Amino acid sequence: MVPLPGHLPEHVAPSHDENVKIAPARRRGRATSSNVSGRFEKFERVGFDDGWGSLETLPPLKTEVTHEKPKAAITRNDSPDIAFDRSINPYRGCEHGCVYCFARPTHAYLGLSPGLDFESRLFVKDNAPDLLKRELSAPNYKPKTIAIGTNTDPYQPIEREYRIMRAILEVLAEANHPVAIVTKSALVLRDLDLLAPMAAKGLAKVALSVTTLDRRLARAMEPRAATPERRLETIAKLAEAGVPAAVMVAPVIPGVTDHEIEAILKRAHGCGALEAGYILLRLPLETQDLFANWLLEHFPDKYRKVLSLLRSSRDGKLYDSAWGKRMTGTGPYAWMIGRRFEHASETIGFKKTKAKLRTDLFVRPDGAPRQLTLF
């Protein structure tokens, strides 16, 4: 068994077999180059050319959508290092295809690859709005801010067709329920007719994740997300409509995007962002190999430096999942990133405390199916 690159010396390349890689012509518009089997699979499947040029005749990789029926809409968590205890994910997988996405390993639970499968084989939760309405109508339900976009982006391209996020917002608006959204998409502006009235009541806020201001770099890292300029324009239009907007400098990638922290904050504040946050690059499980391969393809000269900086901020590993450490890291480099962010945020004029959304306006939805009583 070959260890993951997190356990290798810096001069050793990642462990993927070259046969796992998909030809560039087939994966055009995708961030990852491989479709390695998930960690729970008994066998690893690889593409192999038998000498007849069979791989060259394969069609371009297309997005496939599967419909599923979850049993619940709201996901709960008790993590002490995040500000919310409940969230909703309208979709599994994300067509934005961000190469660094920490949610990629979740596709392994479906028997799929965290690589290209994650960004091309997507799952739509059609009944999520109905489930949400039922859950909000439960007699013992107590409202708290629901976070959306913390795992996969609710405004990824397929939302234009399936409109699951739109239907979820309609349920939340009817119930006067608070919601906090994180996205990389300008599609959020489509729902200003819902978000603006909710924001006027203190029920909604939106954060745009801006990783870099370099359009070409963003295209390589986040191939199907909105361009950096489009995200900044979205912040401006949200602010103009009265929706509290924030910027997430996330993830900060050592040696690749860390020099842009101040510039991103300054541009976002100028567009109307009131709050700001950051997250240091997180590489759990299969994401380590996927990101290492991406580095070798796009920044071979920075490969050793980037992994070295990551290890220096993750106790010698490429990732540390410990609460309180996973978002910001530890060590001198991580400390420096944190202090730079804090200093720039204060100097530029971002709010020091994040605004809380209201819960006192909540009303249980009408017409939701209820469990019958025995008597």
Side-chain angles (χ1 to χ4, degrees), residues 71-138:
K71 296 181 179 179
I74 300 176
T75 300
R76 306 277 181 161
N77 79 84
D78 57 0
S79 302
D81 58 347
I82 55 179
F84 58 89
D85 68 352
R86 64 199 68 182
S87 61
I88 298 176
N89 295 300
Y91 305 100
R92 292 181 190 264
C94 187
E95 199 174 6
H96 281 163
C98 304
V99 67
Y100 49 74
C101 182
F102 67 86
R104 283 183 175 274
T106 61
H107 245 45
Y109 292 110
L110 305 173
L112 298 174
S113 171
L116 288 168
D117 279 349
F118 178 80
E119 49 192 288
S120 63
R121 299 183 66 176
L122 312 178
F123 293 78
V124 178
K125 301 179 182 180
D126 297 282
N127 63 336
D130 292 334
L131 290 175
L132 176 61
K133 196 168 186 178
R134 184 179 68 187
E135 291 166 33
L136 296 185
S137 68

Side-chain angles (χ1 to χ4, degrees), residues 210 212-214 232 247 249 257-270 340 344 348 350:
V210 182
T212 177
L213 297 176
D214 184 335
L232 292 170
V247 61
V249 187
T257 66
D258 52 353
H259 65 285
E260 296 190 71
I261 293 174
E262 291 83 0
I264 292 172
L265 290 173
K266 186 174 182 179
R267 288 289 307 279
H269 187 267
R340 278 179 55 193
I348 292 170
F350 282 99

Side-chain angles (χ1 to χ4, degrees), residues 46-362:
V46 300
F48 178 75
D49 195 330
D50 56 8
W52 292 92
S54 57
L55 293 181
E56 297 177 4
T57 62
L58 292 175
L61 198 65
K62 293 184 178 180
T63 299
E64 299 178 17
V65 175
T66 299
H67 298 267
E68 66 170 311
K69 300 291 184 182
K71 296 181 179 179
I74 300 176
T75 300
R76 306 277 181 161
N77 79 84
D78 57 0
S79 302
D81 58 347
I82 55 179
F84 58 89
D85 68 352
R86 64 199 68 182
S87 61
I88 298 176
N89 295 300
Y91 305 100
R92 292 181 190 264
C94 187
E95 199 174 6
H96 281 163
C98 304
V99 67
Y100 49 74
C101 182
F102 67 86
R104 283 183 175 274
T106 61
H107 245 45
Y109 292 110
L110 305 173
L112 298 174
S113 171
L116 288 168
D117 279 349
F118 178 80
E119 49 192 288
S120 63
R121 299 183 66 176
L122 312 178
F123 293 78
V124 178
K125 301 179 182 180
D126 297 282
N127 63 336
D130 292 334
L131 290 175
L132 176 61
K133 196 168 186 178
R134 184 179 68 187
E135 291 166 33
L136 296 185
S137 68
N140 60 345
Y141 180 82
K142 295 182 180 180
K144 279 190 177 181
T145 299
I146 289 179
I148 308 181
T150 58
N151 196 33
T152 58
D153 201 312
Y155 286 105
Q156 59 180 285
I158 60 171
E159 165 64 15
R160 293 184 184 277
E161 176 180 356
Y162 295 101
R163 301 172 66 89
I164 308 299
M165 179 59 182
R166 170 77 185 188
I168 287 172
L169 273 183
E170 289 173 345
V171 173
L172 295 174
E174 178 189 352
N176 283 336
H177 194 292
V179 61
I181 300 168
V182 180
T183 183
K184 289 186 176 77
S185 176
L187 184 57
V188 66
L189 297 176
R190 177 201 64 187
D191 295 336
L192 276 180
D193 61 317
L194 295 172
L195 290 169
M198 291 180 73
K201 299 177 183 178
L203 298 172
K205 58 182 179 179
V206 178
L208 270 292
S209 176
V210 182
T211 315
T212 177
L213 297 176
D214 184 335
R215 182 170 183 158
R216 297 179 70 177
L217 175 57
R219 171 69 174 171
M221 288 194 304
E222 312 150 339
R224 301 199 177 191
T227 64
E229 287 298 327
R230 190 76 175 95
R231 294 180 220 180
L232 292 170
E233 291 173 7
T234 301
I235 290 175
K237 290 181 179 179
L238 286 167
E240 183 181 352
V243 179
V247 61
M248 288 296 299
V249 187
V252 175
I253 303 178
V256 178
T257 66
D258 52 353
H259 65 285
E260 296 190 71
I261 293 174
E262 291 83 0
I264 292 172
L265 290 173
K266 186 174 182 179
R267 288 289 307 279
H269 187 267
C271 290
L274 301 175
E275 301 175 2
Y278 85 98
I279 297 176
L280 188 65
L281 178 65
R282 299 170 58 187
L283 295 177
L285 301 169
E286 292 96 338
T287 316
Q288 296 181 12
D289 272 355
L290 294 170
F291 181 76
N293 279 325
W294 180 85
L295 275 177
L296 283 176
E297 182 178 353
H298 295 277
F299 295 99
D301 57 326
K302 294 184 177 182
Y303 175 77
R304 296 183 184 181
K305 175 184 177 181
V306 173
L307 296 190
S308 177
L309 288 172
L310 276 175
R311 290 189 181 97
S312 74
S313 61
R314 300 292 187 187
D315 294 326
K317 301 174 289 185
L318 285 183
Y319 185 56
D320 184 355
S321 61
W323 284 332
K325 297 181 180 180
R326 56 181 179 163
M327 304 293 186
T328 58
T330 58
Y333 172 80
W335 182 89
M336 179 268 294
I337 291 295
R339 302 298 76 73
R340 278 179 55 193
F341 178 85
E342 290 177 355
H343 176 73
S345 296
E346 183 176 357
T347 301
I348 292 170
F350 282 99
K351 292 183 177 180
K352 293 184 178 180
T353 57
K354 295 184 177 181
K356 293 184 178 180
L357 300 178
R358 296 180 65 176
T359 59
D360 58 308
L361 301 178
F362 175 70

